[in-house]
Amino acid sequence: MNYKIGEVIRNNPILFDTYEMEIAGFTNATQGQFVNISTGDKSMLLRRPISISEVKDESIVIIYKVVGKGTEILASKKPGDVLDVLGPLGNGFPLVKNRKCVLVGGGIGVPPLVETAKKLKENGCEVNVVIGARNKELVILEDKLKEYGKVYVATDDGSYGMKGNVIDCIEQNQIDFDVLYACGPNIMLKFLDKKYYGVKEGYLSFEQRMACGVGICYGCILKPKENREAFLRVCKDGPVFELGVVKYE
Ligand code: FES
């Protein structure tokens, strides 16, 4: 098919407030990178940073939650609409070979694990995935991730999988791993960092509000631990940082 770069191929809800969109182009993206999308509405200057879930031959897949006017506009886009998309951006997850990996996703942090799991499996890794969600209704991409490894689910209310958080899930299921990959709310990353820094190799992908998306405005900074450079720009230096790099509030 001859699509234009940025053309919407499909855009469908996968949950009441969460959509999956396939966009033509950007096939040089790697696992864990993101795109910054303009809604096309002139009253909204800021683009929406959205992580890339899958990279296909002619397109990328993104999964986003409708949380305000900008993402409402994205949800209204139809196949054939052409979006102004900047990307792929950010560093993405580094890949390892022939290792035991655990991939941990919380909430809307689950989508980038799909491409990461696929690439790690291709690299001969043993892939275990832990999905954390508030409840059963909010668990996404479980079947997709099962294509690449064993999937465990933890919910806050115990309505699906085990009741507890992602660390409880790793421990109770005795998931044996050498390398951790995680994406999700900063509080989840903080606890994973505290638990596994100095113990395991690990990479954390941070979610942060962004403006430029390309390292110019310093609107997305995190503080590094002491004795490191003054700022970490999530959009340009990240969104992925090794365990032990970020200082938490
Ligand atoms: Fe501008 Fe990161 S969003 S520097």
Side-chain angles (χ1 to χ4, degrees), residues 9 45 99 139 181 184 192 234 239 244:
I9 297 173
L45 291 178
R99 310 275 298 278
V139 174
Y181 293 87
L192 286 167
V234 172

Side-chain angles (χ1 to χ4, degrees), residues 209-221 233-236:
R209 283 188 177 278
M210 290 184 191
C212 72
V214 291
I216 296 167
C217 73
Y218 283 72
C220 64
I221 57 169
R233 293 165 299 179
V234 172
C235 68
K236 181 87 175 170

Side-chain angles (χ1 to χ4, degrees), residues 78-190:
K78 300 272 180 290
D81 289 345
V82 178
L83 297 171
D84 173 2
V85 181
L86 206 59
L89 301 171
N91 56 359
F93 283 119
L95 293 174
V96 294
K97 286 187 178 169
N98 304 316
R99 310 275 298 278
K100 290 181 186 166
C101 300
V102 67
L103 283 60
V104 179
I108 201 67
V110 176
L113 302 185
V114 174
E115 186 67 20
T116 310
K118 183 169 118 193
K119 292 277 172 53
L120 289 170
K121 190 181 176 199
E122 284 169 7
N123 273 4
C125 292
E126 181 184 307
V127 175
N128 290 287
V129 180
V130 175
I131 298 174
R134 288 208 307 279
N135 58 50
K136 181 180 180 184
E137 280 67 43
L138 298 177
V139 174
I140 55 171
L141 298 170
E142 183 185 3
D143 289 341
K144 184 96 207 159
L145 285 159
K146 278 182 180 164
E147 292 173 26
Y148 308 115
K150 190 157 182 189
V151 178
Y152 303 84
V153 178
T155 50
D156 292 347
D157 65 358
S159 52
Y160 189 55
M162 64 159 281
K163 181 173 167 44
N165 63 36
V166 293
I167 294 178
D168 298 333
C169 190
I170 292 171
E171 290 188 333
Q172 287 190 23
N173 289 292
Q174 299 181 338
I175 300 173
D176 182 26
F177 67 97
D178 312 311
V179 188
L180 166 75
Y181 293 87
C183 184
N186 287 6
I187 186 78
M188 182 191 92
L189 301 182
K190 175 181 175 176

Side-chain angles (χ1 to χ4, degrees), residues 43-95:
S43 70
M44 310 189 74
L45 291 178
L46 295 186
R47 291 167 177 266
R48 281 0 189 216
I50 301 174
S51 61
I52 295 167
S53 178
E54 285 177 82
V55 183
K56 300 183 169 230
D57 290 343
E58 293 186 276
S59 62
I60 52 167
V61 176
I62 59 168
I63 292 173
Y64 60 96
K65 210 176 175 68
V66 176
V67 289
K69 192 175 165 203
T71 38
E72 264 173 31
I73 293 171
L74 283 186
S76 71
K77 298 294 179 188
K78 300 272 180 290
D81 289 345
V82 178
L83 297 171
D84 173 2
V85 181
L86 206 59
L89 301 171
N91 56 359
F93 283 119
L95 293 174

